Amino acid sequence: MNRPSRPIPPPPHAPGPVVHGSAVRDSVVRGSAESPGTQHTDALFTAALAGELGPDPALSTATSVFWIHHGTRLAGGDVTYRNQYVLVRLGSSFGGCAFEAGEIPPELCGEVSGSPLGALLGAEVPRPLRIAALDAYLAEVRPHRSARDAETVTLPAGPPTVRAAARDAAVAGLLDLPQGATVGLIGVVNPLVAALRERGCTPLPCDFNLRTTQWGDPVADDMHPVLDTADAIVATGMTLGNGSFDTILERCRARDIPLIVYAQSGSAVARAFLADGVTALSAEPFPFSQFSADPTPLYRYRAASAS
């Protein structure tokens, strides 16, 4: 992947007012019955920069921008997951997004810490950093922890295998499909493959970086055949960072099939599309479950209960 152009860091800005707990304007984020299926992530950036989703982001400060490199191999597995995340702190909220190695230079984080949040939403900023900034903004406007339409699921304390299995069972629990239904899995983690099978579904795994699952199932590297044939799609929030989310969203809308998103990356961004292409969401804001052995929350949303 080519490295995006690097923005010139803006000067630090004094913190502005931040609104907590306000509902994001549904007419902007989710579209309307008169114009269904027209909203994409670019529309969210435009609306946020215009102050249509909450306070003017130019008056709020991204106090901390940082990145994490994390490697994991679960016991008994033969795959090492190597993930990089860029994180943005805004008030009482964090936003995060995964990125590919080399896509964001580490020194950029220090250069843009303390910037007005609006400066991190511009089109010249690397996309994962833009998504992390938008995620922080939308989470600050409407925190997951106080959202009326969120169901809090507490992951148990324990080792990574226990917590990963609980997390992926919670994701699979958002599916309402008959036995034998095919589920396109865009972004593969082995415990989620297992959780889908336990519910009687047939996973169709697709991933840019994996070639087989833990059990030897082939993993496709082209999502388009999966999007064209699956009965439902389960997609990772990482698709927001690599730019494929809008394609997935548009195809699921066109075929009128369920789209379930499990998101550490951009969880508040994905939430904006509930009832406008996204059927259900498992939102896991930072700090993510893999960074703790203690009980931690994730938040499940369903389009039917979206506020």
Side-chain angles (χ1 to χ4, degrees):
M1 179 179 295
N2 294 326
R3 179 180 293 180
S5 59
R6 182 169 168 181
I8 299 173
H13 193 283
V18 176
V19 177
H20 299 268
S22 299
V24 177
R25 298 180 187 177
D26 292 351
S27 61
V28 174
V29 176
R30 297 192 185 111
S32 67
E34 290 76 24
S35 57
T38 59
Q39 299 299 312
H40 295 87
T41 51
D42 283 349
L44 279 183
F45 284 117
T46 300
L49 284 166
E52 295 175 358
L53 306 183
D56 184 349
L59 301 179
S60 296
T61 299
T63 54
S64 180
V65 180
F66 59 103
W67 71 283
I68 295 173
H69 179 275
H70 185 245
T72 300
R73 178 179 291 193
L74 297 175
D78 58 0
V79 175
T80 299
Y81 300 98
R82 295 179 176 89
N83 294 316
Q84 295 81 220
Y85 303 92
V86 61
L87 290 309
V88 175
R89 177 73 180 266
L90 176 67
S92 61
S93 301
F94 288 91
C97 188
F99 64 93
E100 295 294 329
E103 194 174 1
I104 294 179
E107 60 271 18
L108 177 61
C109 295
E111 293 169 1
V112 299
S113 291
S115 300
L117 187 80
L120 303 184
L121 297 175
E124 74 282 1
V125 176
R127 183 176 178 86
L129 179 53
R130 291 183 80 200
I131 290 292
L134 182 60
D135 188 36
Y137 177 77
L138 294 176
E140 184 72 356
V141 169
R142 188 161 76 98
H144 292 292
R145 60 184 171 272
S146 57
R148 294 186 304 274
D149 52 338
E151 172 197 5
T152 303
V153 176
T154 301
L155 301 179
T161 49
V162 169
R163 290 173 57 75
R167 179 198 62 206
D168 294 332
V171 174
L174 290 168
L175 287 166
D176 184 15
L177 295 170
Q179 292 277 324
T182 56
V183 178
L185 184 57
I186 313 297
V188 175
V189 288
N190 285 314
L192 185 50
V193 173
L196 291 172
R197 285 197 172 120
E198 287 172 4
R199 296 186 66 84
C201 297
T202 301
L204 303 176
C206 180
D207 197 287
F208 289 140
N209 298 316
L210 295 179
R211 298 283 65 85
T212 64
T213 69
Q214 178 180 340
W215 303 275
D217 309 288
V219 176
D221 60 2
D222 182 358
M223 68 179 181
H224 294 283
V226 173
L227 293 175
D228 288 341
T229 59
D231 297 317
I233 298 294
V234 176
T236 171
M238 292 180 182
T239 57
L240 286 160
N242 67 26
S244 60
F245 176 80
D246 286 340
T247 298
I248 297 167
L249 185 70
E250 188 173 277
R251 192 70 190 115
C252 290
R253 285 170 175 162
R255 293 188 57 215
D256 194 24
I257 61 171
L259 170 58
I260 292 86
V261 180
Y262 66 103
Q264 294 181 334
S265 296
S267 59
V269 179
R271 180 181 63 184
F273 296 95
L274 278 170
D276 188 27
V278 172
T279 309
L281 167 69
S282 172
E284 194 179 338
F286 186 82
F288 308 139
S289 59
Q290 61 265 40
F291 300 135
S292 176
D294 295 325
T296 54
L298 64 78
Y299 303 93
R300 299 200 303 186
Y301 296 83
R302 293 172 175 84
S305 61
S307 59

